[in-house]
Amino acid sequence: MAKILVVEDEQVINDLIVKHLALVGHTCLSAYEGLRALELLRTHEPDLVILDVMLPGLDGFDLVKLMGDVPVIFVTAKSNLEDKLKGLSLGAEDYIVKPFEMQELLARVRVVLRRTKRDSNEFSFDGLTVDFNARKVFRGEEEIILAPKEFALLEALIKNRNIALSREKILCLVWAFDYEGDTRTVDVHVQKLRQKLELKDRIRTIYKVGYRFEV
Ligand code: CA
């Protein structure tokens, strides 16, 4: 998950891009014109910029020259080859032509983050940071020690966030085999997670179903 600056003057499109990026766990910042974009770039140091070409004032081609070495994906209605080559020659990582499918944008973001190694594979909420690579959880700088199964449960809940998971499904995801024991194992581990990470309001019990991690 990465910090992404979305520079797009049409608010509806900006909101839509931000919404989809947030759904897959990225943290987003929005700017509707160039000067604000440069300010956010300096103050927040995003991992990636999604940059519209046609902007009021400084356009995307002007802006990218002022943005330093942050990876940029251009988004634009300009579909001719000349503009595409201009964008790429200015150092953009990729170029998406409007109208585009959100799935395509998400796929390109994933590729660029992987290529530029900016994707830390972390998920942050409520002052907690979950590092899926190191399999560790931190509150600020302090590590909170979880048992391996507790971490696996947290991972399953976060990766399926806002979706109700049955206890059987959780057993399958976390214990990874046809668990002979009963589903109370899940309940016990959920209780431990709630206690250790103060997640009472985040991990909801769904009556007669199971659990849902809400963000
Ligand atoms: Ca525009």
Side-chain angles (χ1 to χ4, degrees):
M1 294 79 186
K3 196 193 298 176
I4 301 178
L5 171 61
V6 180
V7 189
E8 161 66 73
D9 58 316
E10 285 172 67
Q11 182 152 11
V12 176
I13 299 177
N14 198 314
D15 288 351
L16 198 66
I17 293 173
V18 165
K19 192 179 119 193
H20 282 81
L21 290 171
L23 275 175
V24 293
H26 298 301
T27 307
C28 296
L29 304 152
S30 285
Y32 305 98
E33 47 84 29
L35 291 179
R36 177 71 180 145
L38 291 175
E39 190 184 319
L40 288 174
L41 192 71
R42 204 181 57 245
T43 53
H44 288 76
E45 300 183 344
D47 303 305
L48 172 69
V49 179
I50 293 177
L51 181 57
D52 187 24
V53 173
M54 299 291 279
L55 291 165
L58 292 170
D59 72 17
F61 292 142
D62 296 329
L63 274 172
V64 76
K65 296 174 197 160
L66 304 172
M67 285 191 156
D69 62 355
V70 64
V72 170
I73 297 176
F74 275 120
V75 173
T76 179
K78 289 188 168 188
S79 57
N80 67 65
L81 183 64
E82 197 183 326
D83 278 331
K84 179 168 181 168
L85 292 175
K86 185 174 174 187
L88 294 175
S89 73
L90 288 170
E93 292 286 337
D94 209 341
Y95 194 105
I96 304 178
V97 175
K98 291 179 193 170
F100 55 86
E101 296 292 327
M102 278 299 156
Q103 291 307 323
E104 186 192 353
L105 178 77
L106 293 179
R108 287 175 186 246
V109 163
R110 202 159 51 234
V111 169
V112 169
L113 287 173
R114 199 182 303 139
R115 188 165 64 218
T116 58
K117 300 205 175 16
R118 300 269 185 151
D119 196 349
S120 62
N121 204 14
E122 290 180 356
F123 188 82
S124 299
F125 63 101
D126 299 349
L128 292 171
T129 301
V130 183
D131 183 335
F132 294 114
N133 291 340
R135 307 196 72 70
K136 289 180 175 181
V137 181
F138 297 89
R139 182 181 301 286
E141 299 291 304
E142 183 198 353
E143 186 183 351
I144 300 171
I145 305 295
L146 296 185
K149 284 289 182 249
E150 290 167 2
F151 189 91
L153 172 62
L154 180 65
E155 183 176 31
L157 289 168
I158 289 175
K159 292 200 166 164
N160 295 281
R161 58 193 170 277
N162 302 318
I163 298 170
L165 294 175
S166 67
R167 288 175 175 82
E168 291 75 17
K169 176 78 179 172
I170 292 172
L171 275 176
C172 184
L173 288 171
V174 176
W175 279 262
F177 57 90
D178 222 355
Y179 197 67
E180 287 296 318
D182 63 57
T183 51
R184 270 177 295 180
T185 307
V186 175
D187 300 332
V188 169
H189 281 75
V190 165
Q191 288 314 322
K192 282 189 189 159
L193 269 191
R194 280 176 172 157
Q195 279 168 15
K196 285 189 177 179
L197 303 180
E198 296 166 36
L199 294 179
K200 203 158 56 82
D201 297 329
R202 291 288 181 198
I203 305 177
R204 297 271 179 193
T205 303
I206 309 301
Y207 181 63
K208 286 191 173 171
V209 179
Y211 298 96
R212 181 171 62 222
F213 182 79
E214 295 185 346
V215 277

